Amino acid sequence: MDIVQRFLNYTKINTTTNRTAGAAGIMPSNPKEFELAGLIKGELEALGIKNISLSEKSILIAKIPSNLDAPAPRVAFFAHLDTSAEQTNDTKAQIVRYEGGDICLNKELEIYLKESENEELQDYKGDEIIVTDGTSLLGADDKAAIAAIVNALEFFVQNPQIKHGEIIACFVPDEEQGLLGAKALDVSEVGADFGYCLDCCGIGEFIYENWNAGDCVVTFKGQSAHPMNAKGKLVNSLLLAHKFISLLPAGEAPEYTEGKEGYFWVKELSGNSAKTVLKIDVREFDEKRYEQRMEFLQKTADGLRAIWGDRIEISLNDRYKNVYNFLKNDDAPAIRFAKQAFKSLNIEPKIKPMRGGYDGAVISAKGLPCPNLFTGGHNFHSIYEYLPVGSLKAASEVVKRIITLATKEA
């Protein structure tokens, strides 16, 4: 099947993640994710792939056995089934031939993808671009990845003369709400030596550094009293929370930082004078500095507890780790093969740290190193999301080339 048609077929299944269901522990949060997984499973079976499993949680794993006589690295490729909850409408994808200027997404609603706001569009003149009608996400995040991976599997099935080690594809649900699918994944069932997520943006992007991420929840317990006789009795938990916030380092917040600069993000403050809950996100690329940030929060709470007693409680938890913690160096096989693949395909690598997280962070922490490859899409989580056809095809070519490069080490 043509890779573009494959992608368009996937976009017709609305797999918007359901945050309410996800918070209740339901996986997949949207039954349509299981429907999409079933469609993929059927396609893989039609190719003749026999080793396929689909769990009730909508985790799909497919394996093509090695056709080598000698051992070779077992390589896995990951994508997620869900799309972000920013928009819930069904996707109505369309293909346009881009020759410059603005792209009209919806004439009736006067919605345009503007070149002035998306300067990278100039790189795609003469290419076909897949866009929405301006009323939904496109779903290239992450259905472009699914199409690229399945297309690569089809290539190796149809060309058995091309030697390769074991190839594994894994599709998980609910990445868009706390990487839930990756957290539910048993990596021993994947059985790979290393892997790649396809879950970042424009052609050439390659990510193998992301945040070390932590959650901090601080609870402040006040003492209620009527204001007419509150003197000496009222303890306002809201003001206790503000005192804690005032002790955070000035300038170390998302709105003041970029690149590899870490931060404390005061994300939520809720309550009343009797009880207040403060939630803080902790982010840092360097593992040691991340630990220092978490230690700072603990010591701050301990210091205030010495004054306030049990009116303050703190809970600190790791959310996900930096993938580079597990790759260790730039010569790790997963990094080396990707860079070689880019070079052999004349794709300029755009290596940059991700100020966020992705499934690979969780998968890497479970023992399967997993950097992040481009899908070719732009403007994820937006009605202006778009996917150049050439970039989609290039993503699949990178997958194929990595597999053949790994085979040479057999």
Side-chain angles (χ1 to χ4, degrees):
M1 183 187 298
D2 173 71
I3 190 173
V4 174
Q5 188 57 55
R6 191 184 300 281
F7 170 71
L8 293 175
N9 289 345
Y10 297 156
T11 67
K12 294 173 183 176
I13 302 176
N14 188 335
T15 58
T16 303
T17 197
N18 185 323
R19 289 173 178 164
T20 301
I26 299 171
M27 184 180 297
S29 67
N30 181 346
K32 290 288 187 177
E33 294 179 73
F34 194 86
E35 180 182 332
L36 176 57
L39 172 62
I40 300 165
K41 180 174 181 287
E43 290 180 345
L44 299 179
E45 288 172 337
L47 291 174
I49 299 174
K50 294 179 171 55
N51 191 346
I52 304 174
S53 65
L54 175 58
S55 75
E56 62 182 13
K57 291 185 176 181
S58 203
I59 295 174
L60 175 63
I61 301 173
K63 300 181 180 182
I64 298 178
S66 171
N67 59 7
L68 299 171
D69 296 327
R74 299 166 297 173
V75 188
F77 298 90
F78 297 87
H80 62 87
L81 299 161
D82 61 321
T83 56
S84 179
E86 270 79 5
Q87 298 286 335
T88 60
N89 292 336
D90 291 345
T91 298
K92 298 180 179 64
Q94 52 185 326
I95 302 175
V96 299
R97 182 82 180 180
Y98 186 63
E99 300 297 348
D102 298 343
I103 299 175
C104 180
L105 302 180
N106 193 308
K107 186 174 182 180
E108 181 180 352
L109 298 177
E110 297 184 348
I111 300 173
Y112 291 84
L113 177 62
K114 297 181 179 180
E115 186 181 52
S116 62
E117 297 173 358
N118 300 271
E119 294 182 359
E120 74 284 350
L121 275 172
Q122 298 173 19
D123 297 333
Y124 305 116
K125 286 183 179 179
D127 197 357
E128 289 185 320
I129 298 179
I130 308 172
V131 296
T132 73
D133 69 346
T135 64
S136 71
L137 305 182
L138 177 61
D141 178 16
D142 202 26
K143 291 168 183 172
I146 301 171
I149 294 169
V150 174
N151 186 70
L153 297 184
E154 181 181 52
F155 171 80
F156 286 101
V157 169
Q158 293 180 348
N159 294 276
Q161 76 281 4
I162 298 177
K163 299 300 182 181
H164 60 79
E166 184 175 29
I167 307 167
I168 303 132
C170 182
F171 308 101
V172 299
D174 297 317
E175 185 269 351
E176 296 290 1
Q177 49 174 322
L179 316 179
L180 295 179
K183 290 176 180 178
L185 175 68
D186 182 350
V187 297
S188 68
E189 295 182 1
V190 178
D193 296 303
F194 58 88
Y196 300 88
C197 283
L198 277 73
D199 195 15
C200 57
C201 303
I203 185 169
E205 287 200 11
F206 182 38
I207 291 169
Y208 50 85
E209 290 188 82
N210 61 277
W211 288 129
N212 291 291
D215 300 324
C216 172
V217 180
V218 192
T219 303
F220 304 89
K221 301 174 184 178
Q223 177 61 54
S224 296
H226 196 285
M228 74 172 62
N229 58 353
K231 186 174 182 179
K233 298 177 182 178
L234 175 65
V235 179
N236 192 330
S237 71
L238 287 164
L239 296 182
L240 299 183
H242 280 282
K243 179 63 177 178
F244 188 98
I245 294 170
S246 73
L247 297 174
L248 298 176
E252 296 184 16
E255 59 267 38
Y256 304 119
T257 56
E258 62 184 355
K260 290 189 178 182
E261 298 171 333
Y263 58 70
F264 297 105
W265 182 12
V266 177
K267 195 171 184 179
E268 184 178 325
L269 184 65
S270 59
N272 51 38
S273 62
K275 180 180 178 180
T276 299
V277 177
L278 169 65
K279 295 183 179 180
I280 302 173
D281 281 2
V282 183
R283 299 290 186 269
E284 188 63 71
F285 280 92
D286 182 82
E287 192 170 20
K288 184 176 181 180
R289 288 200 297 270
Y290 168 74
E291 292 170 355
Q292 290 172 342
R293 286 188 179 277
M294 297 292 269
E295 184 180 0
F296 171 83
L297 293 170
Q298 182 66 60
K299 287 184 175 180
T300 300
D302 291 344
L304 292 174
R305 188 178 291 112
I307 302 171
W308 299 338
D310 62 2
R311 294 195 182 281
I312 178 173
E313 295 179 356
I314 188 169
S315 173
L316 296 168
N317 293 286
D318 297 331
R319 183 179 295 183
Y320 52 80
K321 294 291 188 180
N322 187 342
V323 168
Y324 197 73
N325 298 346
F326 310 99
L327 293 164
K328 302 299 185 183
N329 63 71
D330 286 8
D331 196 46
I335 296 176
R336 178 159 42 89
F337 290 135
K339 288 181 177 178
Q340 290 173 358
F342 281 26
K343 183 177 180 179
S344 67
L345 293 167
N346 294 315
I347 297 173
E348 180 184 354
K350 300 173 184 176
I351 301 167
K352 60 183 181 181
M354 175 184 280
R355 287 175 65 87
Y358 67 101
D359 281 337
V362 173
I363 295 166
S364 295
K366 291 184 176 185
L368 202 168
C370 193
N372 197 358
L373 297 169
F374 71 89
T375 61
H378 292 266
N379 297 339
F380 288 175
H381 298 197
S382 164
I383 61 171
Y384 301 107
E385 185 181 7
Y386 70 92
L387 176 64
V389 168
S391 300
L392 171 62
K393 292 179 178 179
S396 192
E397 290 303 314
V398 168
V399 172
K400 296 176 192 175
R401 193 60 55 91
I402 288 172
I403 293 168
T404 56
L405 287 168
T407 302
K408 293 179 180 179
E409 293 209 351

